[in-house]
Amino acid sequence: MTRTVLGLAAAAVVAAGVTVATGSYGSAEARQDAAPVAVAAESSPVGYAAQNGGTTGGAGGTTVTVTNASQFLQYAQASGRYVIQVNGTISLSGMQDVASDKTIIGVGANGRITGGGLDIDGVRNVIIRNLTFTDAGDDAINIQDGSTNIWIDHNDLSGANDGLLDIKRGSDFITVSWNRFHDHDKTSLVGHSDSNGSQDQGHLRVTYVHNWFQGTNQRHPRVRFANPVHVLNNYYSDIGSYGAASTTGAGVFVEANYFENVKRPTSVQEGSSPEGNIRESGNYLVNSGSIVTRNPGSVAAIPYSYTRENAANVKATVTAGAGVGKI
């Protein structure tokens, strides 16, 4: 069992605000390195949500446009495939279920959900895109109870009472991409309890790619049990406590992210949880602390092919492309 802090020789330089790239490009995944990527929305998810049969949401079903909560819930909770276009502000109360085979997508930059949140509970094949979530009384989005093939993409999330995006209780094959998380404390939890290993082991596989964590405090993500979770090409700016954390034996691959004004880019122990494991490669640090790793060889290989952008370019790519109104 080893615990390593990378970049100690460069710590004084980093503290002075000079950029430092850390890590190597020698991992075994089927990966291609790339120059700056074009800012364009994918038509289908990359990473884990593309596995296990893929994630298509309501494609091939009926397309409807909703402007109020009653219309929204009618279609979000219906059986069958629906593409639900949200035009305007939907005021919800509490956590509201979303059924399988749904795409919920904002129109332009106008789609908003406020007051309540979406509960993706024991379902399959759901896409949430291009929506602004504010002031949820609990979580903004909660994925739980074995939900699979979920794509959370190009949303703007802030100000929930609990988490902005929590993934737990055996859920699996999830991609979180191009979202802007801001002005919040507990951002994104993967695995809700240290005592839930019997349900979570072998599951909770998530890809976080091209997200902007802006002025948030912790859980970007905070992971239990899952191995691996892939944290790729995200931009972290002005983070209060820590960036990505691995606990309770989880395996997290932190790859080619841009950390700016982040005291602790990674963590391998939080709260009362036992330590987890982190492998890192190619990250970029600006006025930030060092990358902490632990048992990198125990972090499972990423099982899909992907293109990795050079971390030095990630800030420009993500700030131009993340959030609503970009698809």
Coordinates of all heavy atoms in Angstrom, one line a residue, residues 174-207:
I174 N -22.6 5.6 -16.6 CA -23.1 6.9 -16.5 C -22.0 7.9 -17.0 O -20.8 7.7 -16.7 CB -23.5 7.3 -15.1 CG1 -24.6 6.5 -14.6 CG2 -23.8 8.8 -14.9 CD1 -24.8 6.5 -13.1
T175 N -22.4 8.8 -17.9 CA -21.5 9.9 -18.3 C -22.0 11.2 -17.9 O -23.2 11.6 -18.1 CB -21.3 9.8 -19.9 OG1 -20.7 8.6 -20.2 CG2 -20.5 11.0 -20.4
V176 N -21.1 12.0 -17.3 CA -21.4 13.4 -16.9 C -20.5 14.3 -17.7 O -19.3 14.3 -17.5 CB -21.2 13.6 -15.4 CG1 -21.5 15.0 -14.9 CG2 -22.0 12.5 -14.6
S177 N -21.0 15.1 -18.7 CA -20.2 15.8 -19.6 C -20.7 17.2 -19.8 O -21.9 17.5 -19.8 CB -20.2 15.1 -21.0 OG -21.5 14.9 -21.5
W178 N -19.7 18.1 -20.0 CA -20.0 19.5 -20.4 C -21.0 20.3 -19.5 O -21.7 21.1 -20.0 CB -20.5 19.5 -21.9 CG -19.5 19.1 -22.9 CD1 -19.6 17.9 -23.6 CD2 -18.4 19.8 -23.5 NE1 -18.6 17.8 -24.5 CE2 -17.8 19.0 -24.4 CE3 -17.8 21.0 -23.2 CZ2 -16.7 19.3 -25.2 CZ3 -16.7 21.4 -23.9 CH2 -16.2 20.6 -24.9
N179 N -21.0 19.9 -18.2 CA -21.8 20.6 -17.3 C -21.1 21.7 -16.6 O -19.8 21.6 -16.4 CB -22.4 19.7 -16.2 CG -23.2 18.6 -16.9 OD1 -24.3 18.8 -17.3 ND2 -22.6 17.4 -17.0
R180 N -21.8 22.8 -16.2 CA -21.2 23.8 -15.3 C -21.8 23.7 -13.9 O -23.0 23.9 -13.7 CB -21.4 25.2 -15.9 CG -20.9 26.3 -15.0 CD -21.2 27.7 -15.7 NE -20.8 28.8 -14.8 CZ -21.7 29.7 -14.3 NH1 -22.9 29.7 -14.8 NH2 -21.3 30.7 -13.5
F181 N -20.9 23.3 -13.0 CA -21.3 23.2 -11.6 C -20.7 24.5 -10.9 O -19.5 24.7 -10.9 CB -20.8 22.0 -10.9 CG -21.2 20.7 -11.5 CD1 -20.5 20.1 -12.6 CD2 -22.3 20.0 -11.0 CE1 -20.9 18.9 -13.1 CE2 -22.7 18.8 -11.6 CZ -22.0 18.2 -12.6
H182 N -21.6 25.2 -10.1 CA -21.0 26.4 -9.5 C -21.8 26.8 -8.3 O -22.9 26.4 -8.1 CB -21.0 27.6 -10.6 CG -22.4 28.0 -11.1 ND1 -23.1 29.0 -10.6 CD2 -23.1 27.4 -12.1 CE1 -24.2 29.1 -11.3 NE2 -24.3 28.2 -12.1
D183 N -21.1 27.6 -7.4 CA -21.7 28.3 -6.3 C -22.5 27.2 -5.4 O -23.6 27.4 -5.1 CB -22.7 29.4 -6.7 CG -21.9 30.5 -7.5 OD1 -21.0 31.1 -6.9 OD2 -22.2 30.6 -8.7
H184 N -21.7 26.2 -5.0 CA -22.3 25.2 -4.2 C -21.2 24.5 -3.3 O -20.0 24.7 -3.6 CB -22.9 24.1 -5.2 CG -23.8 23.2 -4.5 ND1 -25.0 23.5 -3.9 CD2 -23.6 21.8 -4.2 CE1 -25.6 22.4 -3.4 NE2 -24.8 21.4 -3.5
D185 N -21.7 23.7 -2.3 CA -20.7 23.0 -1.5 C -20.5 21.6 -2.0 O -19.5 21.3 -2.6 CB -21.3 23.0 0.0 CG -20.4 22.3 1.0 OD1 -19.2 22.0 0.6 OD2 -20.8 22.0 2.1
K186 N -21.5 20.7 -1.7 CA -21.4 19.3 -2.0 C -21.8 19.0 -3.4 O -23.0 18.8 -3.7 CB -22.2 18.5 -1.0 CG -21.7 18.7 0.4 CD -22.6 18.0 1.4 CE -22.2 18.2 2.9 NZ -23.1 17.5 3.8
T187 N -20.9 18.9 -4.3 CA -21.2 18.9 -5.8 C -21.7 17.6 -6.3 O -22.8 17.5 -6.8 CB -20.0 19.4 -6.5 OG1 -19.6 20.7 -6.0 CG2 -20.3 19.6 -8.0
S188 N -20.8 16.5 -6.3 CA -21.2 15.3 -6.9 C -20.7 14.1 -6.2 O -19.4 13.9 -6.1 CB -20.7 15.3 -8.4 OG -21.3 14.2 -9.1
L189 N -21.5 13.3 -5.5 CA -21.2 12.2 -4.7 C -21.4 10.9 -5.6 O -22.4 10.8 -6.3 CB -22.1 12.1 -3.5 CG -21.9 11.0 -2.5 CD1 -20.6 11.2 -1.8 CD2 -23.0 11.0 -1.5
V190 N -20.4 10.0 -5.5 CA -20.6 8.7 -6.1 C -20.5 7.6 -5.0 O -19.4 7.4 -4.5 CB -19.5 8.4 -7.2 CG1 -19.7 7.0 -7.8 CG2 -19.6 9.5 -8.3
G191 N -21.6 7.0 -4.6 CA -21.6 6.1 -3.5 C -22.0 6.8 -2.2 O -21.2 7.6 -1.7
H192 N -23.1 6.5 -1.6 CA -23.7 7.4 -0.6 C -23.2 7.0 0.8 O -23.3 7.8 1.8 CB -25.2 7.3 -0.6 CG -25.8 6.0 -0.1 ND1 -25.7 4.9 -0.8 CD2 -26.5 5.8 1.1 CE1 -26.3 3.9 -0.1 NE2 -26.8 4.4 1.0
S193 N -22.7 5.7 1.0 CA -22.4 5.3 2.4 C -21.2 4.3 2.4 O -21.1 3.4 1.5 CB -23.6 4.6 3.0 OG -23.3 3.9 4.2
D194 N -20.4 4.3 3.4 CA -19.3 3.4 3.6 C -19.8 2.0 3.8 O -19.1 1.0 3.6 CB -18.4 3.8 4.7 CG -17.6 5.1 4.5 OD1 -17.6 5.5 3.3 OD2 -17.1 5.6 5.4
S195 N -21.1 1.8 4.2 CA -21.6 0.5 4.6 C -22.4 -0.2 3.4 O -23.0 -1.2 3.6 CB -22.5 0.6 5.8 OG -23.6 1.5 5.5
N196 N -22.4 0.4 2.2 CA -23.2 -0.1 1.1 C -22.4 -0.8 0.1 O -22.8 -0.9 -1.1 CB -23.9 1.1 0.5 CG -25.2 0.7 -0.2 OD1 -26.0 0.0 0.3 ND2 -25.3 1.0 -1.5
G197 N -21.3 -1.4 0.5 CA -20.5 -2.1 -0.5 C -21.1 -3.3 -1.2 O -20.8 -3.6 -2.3
S198 N -22.0 -4.0 -0.5 CA -22.6 -5.2 -1.1 C -23.4 -4.8 -2.3 O -23.5 -5.6 -3.3 CB -23.6 -5.9 -0.1 OG -24.6 -5.0 0.4
Q199 N -24.0 -3.6 -2.4 CA -24.8 -3.1 -3.5 C -23.9 -2.4 -4.5 O -24.1 -2.5 -5.8 CB -25.9 -2.2 -3.1 CG -26.8 -1.8 -4.2 CD -27.9 -0.8 -3.8 OE1 -27.8 -0.2 -2.7 NE2 -29.1 -0.8 -4.5
D200 N -22.9 -1.7 -4.1 CA -22.1 -0.8 -4.9 C -20.9 -1.5 -5.6 O -20.4 -1.0 -6.6 CB -21.7 0.4 -4.1 CG -22.8 1.3 -3.8 OD1 -23.8 1.2 -4.5 OD2 -22.7 2.1 -2.8
Q201 N -20.3 -2.5 -5.0 CA -19.1 -3.1 -5.5 C -19.4 -3.6 -7.0 O -20.4 -4.3 -7.2 CB -18.6 -4.3 -4.7 CG -18.1 -3.9 -3.3 CD -16.7 -3.4 -3.4 OE1 -16.1 -3.3 -4.5 NE2 -16.1 -3.1 -2.2
G202 N -18.5 -3.3 -7.9 CA -18.7 -3.7 -9.3 C -19.6 -2.8 -10.1 O -19.8 -3.0 -11.3
H203 N -20.1 -1.7 -9.5 CA -21.0 -0.8 -10.1 C -20.4 0.7 -9.9 O -19.3 0.9 -9.7 CB -22.4 -0.9 -9.6 CG -22.9 -2.3 -9.7 ND1 -23.3 -2.9 -10.9 CD2 -23.2 -3.2 -8.8 CE1 -23.7 -4.1 -10.7 NE2 -23.7 -4.4 -9.4
L204 N -21.3 1.6 -10.1 CA -21.0 3.1 -10.0 C -19.9 3.5 -10.9 O -19.1 4.4 -10.6 CB -20.5 3.4 -8.5 CG -21.6 3.1 -7.4 CD1 -21.0 3.4 -6.0 CD2 -22.8 4.0 -7.6
R205 N -19.8 3.0 -12.1 CA -18.8 3.3 -13.1 C -19.3 4.6 -13.8 O -20.4 4.6 -14.5 CB -18.6 2.2 -14.1 CG -17.8 1.1 -13.4 CD -17.8 -0.2 -14.2 NE -19.1 -0.9 -14.1 CZ -19.3 -2.1 -14.6 NH1 -18.3 -2.8 -15.1 NH2 -20.5 -2.6 -14.5
V206 N -18.5 5.7 -13.7 CA -18.9 7.0 -14.2 C -17.8 7.6 -14.9 O -16.6 7.5 -14.5 CB -19.4 7.9 -13.0 CG1 -19.9 9.2 -13.6 CG2 -20.4 7.2 -12.1
T207 N -18.1 8.3 -16.0 CA -17.1 9.2 -16.7 C -17.5 10.6 -16.5 O -18.6 11.0 -16.8 CB -17.1 8.9 -18.2 OG1 -16.8 7.5 -18.5 CG2 -16.1 9.8 -19.0

